Amino acid sequence: MALYAIGDLHLHFQSELKAPGQLHDRVWKKHEEKFKKNCAQMLTDEDTLVLVGDHSWGKNLAQCEEDLQYICDLPGRKILTRGNHDMFWDAKKTGQLNERYQPQLAFLQDNYETYRDYALVGTKGFTFEGPFYVDRRGRIAGWDEAAEEHAKKLVDRELKRLRKSFELAKEDGYRKFIMFLHYPPTNILEERSGFTDMAEEYGAEQVIYAHCHGESRFHDSIQGEYRGRQYHLVSGDFLRWKPWKVMD
Ligand SMILES: [Fe+2]
Ligand SMILES: [Fe+2]
């Protein structure tokens, strides 16, 4: 029995694929076949797989049914968190998705799941990457205040959702946590954020995130130990479609 994670499957069985990287980069060629094969080799039905957002390019649930069916057909228990491209998933209607897809899929939002004596908590998150202007020495030379204001609102909303997930688990007696985000927990300057602070506040042992695609983005945020927690990037192209083992 083991817990695995991966993100950014970006499936498109019923929707049009427009992302240039996914169309042309070799790592994405027939990636759904590679991933399915890797899962069949690595996972059993005793295992749990957390899919950390950006599941599908579909614009609504009707356009995502085959993508979600593909996920249903993977081995083990599947837990999904929201990504920025998951248009089919209205956060406020997570209950309906859970009703429709139980027991095959669990949608993690304003709730929590468990693995052994751990609570699995999470939300989409949000990373504000600017638009700030950096000079040649990497110092911030300017800032778009309106964009920053908007980003703050998104971050606050996501932090509230994340806190709810932690609190519900805590009320039920859980003291050990693994935290899942879709967005990286920090901006590219790898500065402390509300998300790293919350991981520390509740003592999450690991923070797992995705969203970063392509060599040039793989080091956009923390990897490894930071202030007592372990941080891991699990975007599918980074992992070359092999689910990453979080723990046995
Ligand atoms: Fe993505
Ligand atoms: Fe994303």
Side-chain angles (χ1 to χ4, degrees):
M1 184 163 125
L3 175 66
Y4 290 89
I6 196 164
D8 297 274
L9 296 187
H10 284 287
L11 299 168
H12 51 93
F13 289 108
Q14 290 167 286
S15 47
E16 196 186 343
L17 175 58
K18 288 181 183 164
Q22 198 171 337
L23 277 168
H24 304 300
D25 288 0
R26 265 184 79 188
V27 67
W28 289 95
K29 202 171 176 204
K30 296 193 175 165
H31 77 289
E32 64 286 339
E33 284 177 26
K34 291 178 207 164
F35 179 60
K36 195 174 172 181
K37 207 171 121 200
N38 289 337
C39 285
Q41 282 171 357
M42 295 170 67
L43 272 69
T44 72
D45 279 332
E46 306 300 307
D47 295 330
T48 299
L49 174 64
V50 183
L51 295 149
V52 199
D54 283 0
H55 311 289
S56 169
W57 284 111
K59 291 193 176 71
N60 51 48
L61 192 54
Q63 284 183 10
C64 296
E65 279 174 359
E66 285 183 34
D67 299 339
L68 292 172
Q69 190 56 50
Y70 166 97
I71 294 172
C72 286
D73 293 341
L74 297 170
R77 179 165 71 113
K78 275 81 62 181
I79 298 168
L80 287 76
T81 71
R82 282 171 79 227
N84 53 309
H85 289 291
D86 293 319
M87 309 303 279
F88 73 93
W89 183 346
D90 177 346
K92 294 186 202 84
K93 293 180 183 166
T94 302
Q96 289 176 20
L97 282 171
N98 272 318
E99 263 169 44
R100 178 162 170 180
Y101 282 96
Q102 68 165 346
Q104 290 167 298
L105 306 181
F107 293 84
L108 186 67
Q109 180 73 74
D110 299 314
N111 53 18
Y112 72 94
E113 289 289 326
T114 61
Y115 179 78
R116 297 193 189 274
D117 54 346
Y118 283 85
L120 310 179
V121 302
T123 193
K124 180 172 70 178
F126 188 75
T127 320
F128 183 50
E129 294 290 13
F132 47 72
Y133 317 107
V134 181
D135 68 13
R136 284 168 60 199
R137 296 164 94 183
R139 292 176 307 199
I140 294 168
W143 198 275
D144 181 332
E145 284 180 12
E148 187 189 19
E149 214 37 58
H150 180 63
K152 267 187 190 154
K153 276 187 193 151
L154 296 180
V155 166
D156 282 352
R157 189 181 66 190
E158 286 300 308
L159 284 171
K160 267 187 202 136
R161 289 171 169 167
L162 183 59
R163 187 173 293 285
K164 186 171 175 189
S165 187
F166 271 116
E167 282 298 321
L168 288 170
K170 221 173 133 185
E171 276 166 29
D172 290 345
Y174 286 91
R175 294 293 175 266
K176 290 163 91 177
F177 303 97
I178 310 287
M179 180 174 136
F180 295 90
L181 298 171
H182 174 68
Y183 279 98
T186 70
N187 62 18
I188 54 173
L189 302 175
E190 300 190 10
E191 288 170 333
R192 241 175 96 178
S193 72
F195 298 103
T196 63
D197 283 352
M198 203 173 286
E200 289 167 35
E201 180 186 339
Y202 286 92
E205 291 179 17
Q206 298 191 43
V207 177
I208 291 165
Y209 65 94
H211 183 71
C212 304
H213 299 300
E215 290 288 338
S216 62
R217 309 303 304 271
F218 289 156
H219 299 283
D220 274 4
S221 191
I222 308 162
Q223 288 186 45
E225 202 193 322
Y226 176 74
R227 296 168 59 91
R229 282 58 333 263
Q230 290 293 328
Y231 288 77
H232 299 285
L233 170 66
V234 298
S235 54
D237 54 336
F238 177 67
L239 296 178
R240 302 209 154 253
W241 312 112
K242 283 194 178 142
W244 186 74
K245 194 192 262 188
V246 180
M247 65 171 70
D248 279 312

